[in-house]
Amino acid sequence: MVCMDGVKILLVEDESIEALDIKRTLESFGYNIPYVASTGEEAVEKAREIIPDLILMDIILKGDTNGIEAVKQIKNLNIPVVYLTAHSEEITFQKALKTGPYGYVLKPFNRNELKYSIEMALFKHRMEQELKESNDKFKLLTETIDDIIYVIDLKNQKISYISSAVEKITGWNKESFYEDSDLWMEMILPEDRPRIRSYVSKIIGEKKGESEFNTKKLNYRIQTKDGKVKWLSESFKIIFDENEEALQVIGHAADVTQEKESEKRYKESEKKYRTLFEFNPDYTILVALNGNILDVNDAAADFMGLTKDDLIGKKFGDIELFPEEDVRLHMGKFSQALKGQEVEPYQYPIIDKNGVRRWAEAKVVPLKLNDDINSILVIATDITDRKNATDKLKSSLKEKEVLINEIHHRVKNNMQIISSLLNLQKQHVIDDEVAVDVLKESQNRIRAMAMIQEKLYQSDDFSHIKFYEYIESVVSDLFYSYNIHKDQVKLRVKVEDIYLNMETGIPCGLIISELVSNSLKHAFPDGRKGEVCISLKVSGDEYELIVSDNGIGLPENIDYKNTDSLGLQLVNNLVNQLDGKITLERGQGTKFKISFKKLKYKIYKELD
């Protein structure tokens, strides 16, 4: 029942007695009558001024504007109108009907008929307003989301509503779907269309009890207006009328193209991962954060002699893959990985299905999902053969190191014995100055070779000598041997950071020893002061050695390439051994220049 308190009715009646009667009748119903208009013009004016809840309108009025014309002028005010007239002819009724009245009551009216007509008009108008507000909210909601919302009237097989999102998703404007009810089905790709058409026909044909509580879902592809293919995910519900007949379909369609593409990429990635995982020859195990095994590859399962079903779900520490004392080692590595710390590959013993102890090297890799670690991947490589070979190599190297140490000490001792023998021999020929010099020179040569042996032993690779250090050592020994004070003869050494192999270093060292010995013995007689200079530099693959002094110089009558001097003979022979060239500059002193290339090691094979 309509609540009448506060309801304002504008009464339009040009007969004053009738108007008074109707006004009192309405007031007896509980309605408020703020004004009674007698002309169409006055009715329009007061309607706009008062904005009543209802207008009770006579059709024939005084003035130029009748009731029907007046209603037309205030149509935009959305006020319900009930005509109260004595005109029952069809033509007048039809004209009044076009204005959308909420009632048509004939005079003389029945009191109850008038009452119920007004109540019905007010109720109908209120329902329409509520429905309009509901529709407005529905449209506001549907027009602000990115998905398509639609309503299909099943009675006439037409779309009665579709949201604006359809234009963005399909490229077709809304009006196209209102005009062509088959457009939606035509957008569906031919490959998917039979399936969708069959499914929809089946669902619509279901009875109320089978469908009213179930939301239907479909996934299919469409071709947009510009030719693109998109995936739609559609869900809909069927609305039934009071006769249990399908009345409407209310549906929702979302563009899931990106999700489908992501799903496709994920499946491809999963397939690649699964292929790599299964065919990896290394033992690969996926472990959950609680230590349970999530997955293992065939290589790991076969190594342990178990099936995947036997392993999946077990605790990683309970699979008896490694000795019990190493469990804590692995748990420590896992803990390190879970903290986001990098875990270096580590080695540990493992036990195969036959109980044989082998060795593995493991990599522990934390796997992340949405930036959070969700599992640990363990990849173990069987390194038993490699470790055995490495251990054998280490043992062999240790043996060779011991052997090299022994050889080094024996060589040093033998050279020291030779030097000691020469020293003892000097004591027996102490009065023979020539013999003493010969023995001393031999001792110096022994020391030069012994020093190269010592530098090689101290070198990191036993094959190259840092030559600057060697030259300083051997020349210092020569100064000491010939009792030359540094305030008499100064030594200048200019040697680049050069490393020579033993094949090249020994002859080069002996050349320097011989030439410096000659300078110290002959260039500075009677305490004469001067300097000895040694230079060694490299350009490309060619070395240049210069040994010079500013002493009295080599006599002009001495041919350094053809001489009885053992020292110079040795120098020439050693230069030839280096495949080098030697030149002499006579001027202020003596300057020997030798150029050579580094010799390669010669490997001598015993001939059968």
Side-chain angles (χ1 to χ4, degrees), residues 38-50:
S38 60
T39 67
E41 292 82 2
E42 190 179 20
V44 171
E45 179 185 350
K46 290 301 178 180
R48 290 173 176 164
E49 178 185 329
I50 298 171

Side-chain angles (χ1 to χ4, degrees), residues 148-153 156-188 220 222-225 232 234 253:
I148 302 169
I149 306 296
Y150 64 85
V151 178
I152 299 176
D153 187 348
N156 57 20
Q157 296 291 311
K158 296 282 187 181
I159 293 176
S160 58
Y161 173 77
I162 193 163
S163 63
S164 298
V166 74
E167 298 180 357
K168 181 179 179 181
I169 293 176
T170 70
W172 294 93
N173 57 45
K174 294 167 59 173
E175 286 69 24
S176 299
F177 293 93
Y178 292 132
E179 295 167 0
D180 184 358
S181 58
D182 294 328
L183 178 57
W184 190 279
M185 189 62 70
E186 290 171 358
M187 286 194 309
I188 300 175
Y220 53 86
I222 64 167
Q223 185 172 33
T224 64
K225 189 175 182 180
L232 293 188
E234 181 181 352

